[in-house]
Amino acid sequence: MGYKIAVVGATGNVGREMLNILAERQFPVDEIVALASRKSQGTEVSFGDTTLKTKDLDTFDFTGWDIALFAVGSTATKEYAPKAAASGCVVIDNSSLYRYDPDIPLIVPEVNPQAVHEYKNKNIIANPNCSTAQMVVALKPLHDRAKIKRVVVSTYQSVSGSGKDAIDELWNQTKGMYVPGQEVDPKVYTKQIAFNVIPHIDVFLDSGDTKEEWKMIAETKKIVDPSIKVTATCVRVPVFVGHSESINIETEDFLDEDEARDILRESPGLMVIDKREDGGYVTPIECVGDFATFVSRIRQDVTVENGLNLWCVSDNLRKGAALNAVQIAELLGREVLKKG
């Protein structure tokens, strides 16, 4: 006997990817339903070799369903997730709505799987921000060995993190650069994204940080260790899919770059490709469609007593969103629900 799974927001980029990954990983599904807003009702989406027609989220009854994977914005989540949870269906939410609620676990299965048992507080589990998810997978095994004191991270985040309209904007702006009369003004972003980088993701806070930067700080503390100091600069770059991060780590105990490389090679969810030669590292275009988080450019930072630098790349629609949500569902099944 398998699980009854609902995918909420099934017509969006992340919702579609959730369906793909559930099929790819052969999640034990007994029954699956694709849910979307009323205006998208009847839209066809793929689940493996099966075609599903979306049903209306507004009228759907979650009673008797085991797990609901939510891939909609915070507004819709706020309305529908409590209804699903109250009906006995465990919600795994990809929005930012519940990430900072102390009663709701924020989980990356390779990092803090034990937190899954806290789902009982509200029948809801939160999925972290895409940029945080890949970073903490790399941080946790190093933290276990040498205790991380401080992290300085700069991100290079793809436009798919902003949704389909952002992908279209990059595509059309790029074409417009070469075709007179077809120039495209910024709409999704505050400035041109084609052939440019924008040091601005989400809204600005009074501190001068953007909310994306604040998310990385708060989520790392909640998932890994509240004592870690984190400072972040988040940048949008003209890449369609795949987030990259330059991460500088300061540890309490000395950690040699060779030992760090060996630790990361043996850690779940990570793939180390680190050759000190032309092309001996991973770039975003190479990680698209892959489950792993890739680490390259591992080296000592000699400007501090115990410092390391590394380069981290992942498919943000997968590990940063859909894959992590499905991995949480797998973890929930193994540790708690135990069906299938």
Side-chain angles (χ1 to χ4, degrees):
M1 183 171 64
Y3 297 90
K4 294 181 70 175
I5 304 291
V7 176
V8 181
T11 59
N13 288 341
V14 174
R16 290 176 187 270
E17 199 68 11
M18 285 175 172
L19 289 165
N20 289 338
I21 292 170
L22 285 165
E24 284 178 36
R25 292 173 73 91
Q26 297 182 322
F27 190 89
V29 172
D30 188 45
E31 187 176 349
I32 191 163
V33 64
L35 301 175
S37 63
R38 185 163 296 169
K39 66 180 181 180
S40 298
Q41 185 176 349
T43 300
E44 293 186 346
V45 292
S46 296
F47 172 64
D49 296 330
T50 306
T51 299
L52 306 175
K53 286 191 175 183
T54 58
K55 296 184 178 180
D56 181 12
L57 171 61
D58 193 48
T59 58
F60 187 75
D61 183 1
F62 286 93
T63 303
W65 291 79
D66 297 303
I67 301 171
L69 303 176
F70 269 66
V72 290
S74 294
T75 301
T77 298
K78 188 175 184 179
E79 180 177 356
Y80 296 105
K83 294 178 182 178
S87 73
C89 180
V90 182
V91 171
I92 300 172
D93 175 37
N94 193 60
S95 81
S96 62
L97 182 64
Y98 295 113
R99 291 175 187 160
Y100 316 107
D101 186 324
D103 293 328
I104 291 177
L106 179 67
I107 296 177
V108 175
E110 297 93 336
V111 178
N112 61 335
Q114 69 286 351
V116 73
H117 296 281
E118 298 171 26
Y119 87 96
K120 293 179 181 178
N121 295 337
K122 293 187 177 180
N123 233 27
I124 297 172
I125 299 171
N127 207 27
N129 186 43
C130 50
S131 51
T132 306
Q134 69 186 70
M135 182 173 76
V136 297
V137 172
L139 293 183
K140 182 58 162 60
L142 301 178
H143 183 64
D144 288 345
R145 161 61 181 82
K147 190 162 186 180
I148 295 172
K149 295 197 300 183
R150 183 170 185 258
V151 174
V152 181
V153 57
S154 296
T155 72
Y156 308 78
Q157 294 179 225
S158 65
V159 296
S160 57
S162 302
K164 183 180 181 300
D165 289 344
I167 294 173
D168 292 342
E169 183 157 298
L170 172 57
W171 174 253
N172 291 325
Q173 275 185 357
T174 303
K175 289 192 298 180
M177 295 289 288
Y178 295 98
V179 183
Q182 292 189 19
E183 296 83 1
V184 175
D185 292 330
K187 291 182 181 177
V188 175
Y189 297 117
T190 55
K191 301 200 177 201
Q192 175 184 309
I193 185 62
F195 302 98
N196 199 15
V197 298
I198 304 172
H200 173 193
I201 300 178
D202 213 322
V203 297
F204 275 95
L205 307 177
D206 291 342
S207 64
D209 290 323
T210 63
K211 195 171 182 182
E212 182 82 358
E213 292 155 356
W214 177 84
K215 288 174 187 175
M216 293 193 74
I217 296 165
E219 292 173 19
T220 301
K221 288 176 176 289
K222 185 172 180 179
I223 296 168
V224 183
D225 188 333
S227 69
I228 295 177
K229 296 178 180 179
V230 181
T231 182
T233 300
C234 294
V235 182
R236 192 70 71 187
V237 297
V239 170
F240 287 111
V241 178
H243 287 356
S244 305
E245 297 171 348
S246 171
I247 307 174
N248 177 264
I249 301 165
E250 188 177 353
T251 57
E252 286 193 3
D253 300 323
F254 178 75
L255 181 57
D256 177 79
E257 62 187 35
D258 293 325
E259 184 183 356
R261 192 176 291 107
D262 289 341
I263 289 170
L264 293 171
R265 279 200 176 108
E266 297 301 317
S267 299
L270 290 173
M271 180 75 70
V272 174
I273 298 179
D274 187 23
K275 297 179 181 179
R276 295 179 176 180
E277 60 186 43
D278 292 351
Y281 42 81
V282 173
T283 59
I285 202 165
E286 296 159 287
C287 78
V288 175
D290 206 297
F291 289 139
T293 293
F294 293 87
V295 178
S296 307
R297 302 293 318 280
I298 302 163
R299 62 203 189 279
Q300 225 79 48
D301 174 9
V302 298
T303 67
V304 292
E305 188 173 357
N306 299 318
L308 287 168
N309 288 306
L310 56 87
W311 173 252
C312 178
V313 179
S314 188
D315 182 330
N316 55 293
L317 297 178
R318 291 207 153 204
K319 186 55 187 171
L323 172 61
N324 200 73
V326 173
Q327 287 178 307
I328 293 172
E330 292 171 341
L331 176 65
L332 183 70
R334 287 195 308 272
E335 297 294 322
V336 181
L337 304 181
K338 297 182 179 179
K339 292 170 66 176

